[in-house]
DNA sequence: ACGAAACGAGAGCAGTGCTCTCGCAATGAG
DNA sequence: CTCATTGCGAGAGCACTGCTCTCGTTTCGT
């Protein structure tokens, strides 16, 4: 079908992943072909997930799309779940990339503006890629292994948010905020060393709220209740900024 | 088609609601057998979902479990999705029931205690029934129909929370809170008439946070970061109460 | 008592993930 | 350059899935 398009998209994505320094090590022609085909499989699978969701991803459909035997896929991914895991990592990276971009494009702006910009960007990406969002923040798929490989990609978005939080900490620390219990305090201290635990706890709560809002909207729980969702979401960000004392 | 689905679902729901006291209206023996078998199918399906998740629900496994032919299942549920939809409605009801119970058991207590009690009860239920929680608040399954029949069951939990919010409104209204934009304000007014829109908006935000916290915990996003999750969750409720001005 | 409706069982279709074996082609060591 | 090793694609096949259709049997309303 759109073989060439898929190849292009895939290689472009691959470029993003290893930062473009792959051309320096062409290795053998076979290795290059392998990387290319691996990327094609992922690209086709990504399209399929975007179209019908994770549960509808079929290895045989991917193999048909690429014009190869279904058994050949197993030369590249040991199982369907492995392919799905690769897509999950990609989605984590995509969401992290979106957040980083939004944050960078607002460099120099006050923390509140950066927080709002990142939140809006993440929501926009989620609305544009609902199935990939669900892949990451929805219910874990079949056997839900949650491999540790995803960790480094998963922390990108939280790093951005916690970075903004840390920068805003002096302002936040001025407002009255309940102190967490000791057990929680030490864990907060471990997450962002040097930051007052009560501030980190607030930040994680707002992070949960952010994804709660996006998930509820995306999974249809606002269906008949809230229609102007842009305005509603923006007001929620205003509320969040208010609770951090960033609006004064 | 969806007409038939709704009929099936409705009768199934009826069955659950009047429990075993249907003997007053035995109707025909066949109707009783039908209700019984329908309930057995759902029970077996529920066990299977609890064991292996929604994506692992197999009609044939259910039929084997009940010792009947797989095709016979279709006399009771027109499709796998219809069976899943029935389970979703049950899960909504279960979660609503848990919330109502927690709220009732704290009748007379101040709103903060009730809010905390309900939140803890919902989280506890989610931790005890992860797959059923995912059925409801995770990513919608394949084609995500979200039939309107779920609405009445879905609002039970929100009714409880909004009820507590309304009762606490006089206290909440005393704190300084940003005013939502006009479009949002009219929608808030429609959700809880008479309540200040800024209070309703705050409440919905906290509702989103509640489910965001539960979802993140349940779907493994706190895995390596937060270990004492009870204490953390409780502190988040303290933060929520603080943001509503209920702690002074 | 009889026609109609509901029901259960079985066969069958198209599809799935995954395994195994077979031959061909590229690879790297001698 | 030769040649054994390895990587790889194709095909057949297994066990499983949701779902449909047909065909007798049982039960119901009248």
């Amino acid at each position: 079908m759109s073989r060439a398009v898929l190849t292009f998209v895939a290689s472009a994505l691959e470029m993003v992943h290893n930062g473009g320094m792959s051309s320096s090590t062409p290795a053998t022609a076979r290795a290059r072909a392998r990387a290319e085909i691996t990327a094609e499989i992922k690209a086709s699978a990504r399209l399929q997930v975007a179209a019908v969701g994770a549960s509808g991803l079929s290895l045989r459909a991917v193999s048909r799309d690429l014009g190869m035997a279904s058994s050949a896929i197993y030369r590249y991914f040991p199982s369907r779940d492995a392919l799905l895991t690769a897509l999950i990592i990609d989605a984590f990276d995509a969401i992290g990339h979106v957040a980083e971009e939004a944050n960078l494009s607002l460099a120099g702006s006050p923390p509140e503006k950066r927080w709002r910009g990142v939140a809006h960007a993440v929501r926009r990406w989620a609305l544009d890629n609902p199935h990939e969002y669900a892949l990451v923040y929805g219910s874990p798929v079949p056997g839900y292994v949650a491999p540790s490989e995803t960790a480094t990609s998963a922390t990108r978005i939280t790093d951005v948010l916690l970075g903004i939080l840390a920068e805003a900490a002096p302002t936040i620390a001025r407002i009255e905020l309940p102190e967490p219990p000791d057990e929680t305090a030490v864990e907060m201290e471990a997450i962002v060393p040097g930051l007052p635990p009560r501030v980190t706890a607030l930040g994680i709560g707002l992070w949960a709220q952010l994804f709660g809002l996006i998930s509820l909207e995306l999974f249809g729980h606002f269906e008949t209740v809230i229609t102007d969702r842009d305005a509603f979401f923006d007001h929620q960000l205003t509320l969040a900024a208010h609770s951090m004392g960033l609006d004064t």
Side-chain angles (χ1 to χ4, degrees), chain A:
Chain A
M1 165 189 206
S2 53
R3 181 77 176 223
V5 175
L6 292 189
T7 307
F8 171 74
V9 168
S11 57
L13 256 156
E14 196 70 12
M15 284 297 280
V16 164
H17 269 177
N18 46 20
M21 56 178 300
S22 62
S23 52
S24 62
T25 55
T28 77
R30 178 175 267 175
R32 234 176 36 215
R34 178 177 184 83
E36 213 165 282
I37 294 179
T38 304
E40 279 183 45
I41 292 174
K42 286 210 299 186
S44 174
R46 201 185 336 267
L47 285 182
Q48 201 176 140
V49 166
V52 294
S55 66
L57 172 62
S58 156
L59 285 189
R60 297 181 110 108
V62 170
S63 74
R64 279 193 298 270
D65 185 29
L66 301 186
M68 64 202 304
S70 65
S71 56
I73 302 278
Y74 289 85
R75 298 283 182 196
Y76 300 88
F77 293 92
S79 73
R80 196 192 93 122
D81 280 7
L83 176 53
L84 225 29
T85 300
L87 294 187
I88 290 176
I89 295 178
D90 281 6
F92 264 123
D93 269 324
I95 218 171
H97 181 74
V98 161
E100 287 166 4
E101 284 261 311
N103 190 32
L104 271 172
S105 78
L106 291 170
S109 299
E112 185 200 348
K113 274 220 153 46
R114 306 238 303 279
W115 167 271
R116 296 180 87 106
V118 169
H120 270 121
V122 170
R123 172 172 174 265
R124 181 52 49 194
W125 184 89
L127 291 178
D128 289 341
N129 308 274
H131 286 117
E132 287 180 76
Y133 176 87
L135 214 55
V136 171
Y137 289 101
S139 31
V141 228
Y144 101 101
V145 271
S148 56
E149 278 83 337
T150 64
T152 62
S153 299
T155 53
R156 288 178 64 180
I157 166 73
T158 56
D159 284 349
V160 170
L161 293 176
L162 289 178
I164 298 176
L165 188 78
E167 196 174 328
T171 308
I172 303 176
R174 284 211 302 267
I175 66 172
E176 183 206 0
L177 225 44
E179 208 70 38
D182 291 346
E183 319 89 275
T184 302
V186 304
E187 296 191 321
M188 297 299 108
E189 175 68 26
I191 293 174
V192 188
L195 217 60
R198 65 183 191 282
V199 172
T200 304
L202 177 69
I204 296 182
L206 292 177
W207 170 56
Q209 184 180 42
L210 176 62
F211 283 102
L213 286 166
I214 294 177
S215 293
L216 287 178
E217 174 179 355
L218 210 61
F219 299 160
H221 293 269
F222 289 163
E223 213 50 51
T224 60
V225 190
I226 298 166
T227 57
D228 193 340
R229 311 214 176 107
D230 290 340
F232 174 77
F233 185 76
D234 192 70
H235 177 61
Q236 289 296 333
L237 295 184
T238 302
L239 275 173
H242 175 75
S243 78
M244 289 188 283
L246 296 180
D247 56 348
T248 53

